Amino acid sequence: MRIVRWIVIVIALAITGGALVAVGARYADGPVAMFPGGPFQSGEWVEPAPADWSFVAGVDEIELQSGDPPRSRTTWILVEDGEAYIPCSLSFPPGKSWHEEALTDPNAIVRIEGKRYRRRLEKVEDPALQERLIEVARAKYPPPPGSGGEVWFFHLAPLTPGGV
């Protein structure tokens, strides 16, 4: 009985700790591990953003800030023909909504290796480009758990006037 009580206490502490980190991350300067974070407060602005994004082809993860109120998350990045794209699995991890919000508020900021870039998230609708991006993703990243579901891709397009 004593062991069961200790197991329950350890589980309760782990859940409480995780919840505290998740809530606290909302106020952090960017995401905290797998938890979405608050708006970016640090990082040098790069303006104008580069026309060729090939320099991020070897970068595994970046930070993406979007939405209102702004939230940030860690995500992957792909490069095809010098253009940058963000993949978004609709099945893993469950519960995300940033991809839906990007359809109504596409303004975003990406932070890559400590530098911030203002961009616009444009959903890729071209099936041929989607297939090329799937191949780029397969070559760069191992299949994530729960892979095989639908994936959206967002082009990191130049910001339009009046954006972020």
Side-chain angles (χ1 to χ4, degrees):
M1 191 56 141
R2 188 173 234 190
I3 292 174
V4 172
R5 186 178 334 146
W6 278 107
I7 291 172
V8 169
I9 289 171
V10 168
I11 291 171
L13 288 173
I15 290 170
T16 302
L20 288 173
V21 170
V23 169
R26 297 286 181 171
Y27 302 98
D29 175 17
V32 176
M34 65 182 199
F35 297 100
F40 301 143
Q41 299 168 13
S42 66
E44 171 190 345
W45 285 104
V46 178
E47 295 182 290
D52 184 350
W53 288 80
S54 297
F55 71 98
V56 297
V59 174
D60 287 333
E61 295 179 335
I62 66 162
E63 296 171 318
L64 170 68
Q65 173 187 312
S66 62
D68 187 23
R71 291 181 310 277
S72 57
R73 71 226 16 102
T74 301
T75 187
W76 291 348
I77 188 164
L78 307 171
V79 176
E80 171 69 8
D81 292 332
E83 296 289 333
Y85 298 88
I86 304 296
C88 178
S89 168
L90 302 190
S91 60
F92 185 83
K96 72 178 103 174
S97 60
W98 72 264
H99 59 291
E100 294 283 349
E101 294 167 4
L103 299 177
T104 56
D105 182 6
N107 295 318
I109 299 170
V110 293
R111 186 163 58 186
I112 303 169
E113 298 178 334
K115 295 182 180 179
R116 294 184 285 177
Y117 306 85
R118 297 177 202 272
R119 302 308 285 169
R120 183 174 174 82
L121 298 170
E122 294 180 349
K123 184 178 179 211
V124 173
E125 300 288 355
D126 175 18
L129 178 55
Q130 289 173 349
E131 286 301 315
R132 288 197 314 270
L133 292 171
I134 288 169
E135 292 306 313
V136 171
R138 283 185 183 142
K140 185 172 182 180
Y141 301 104
S147 64
E150 186 178 359
V151 176
W152 287 6
F153 296 96
F154 288 91
H155 176 226
L156 289 180
L159 198 62
T160 56
V164 178

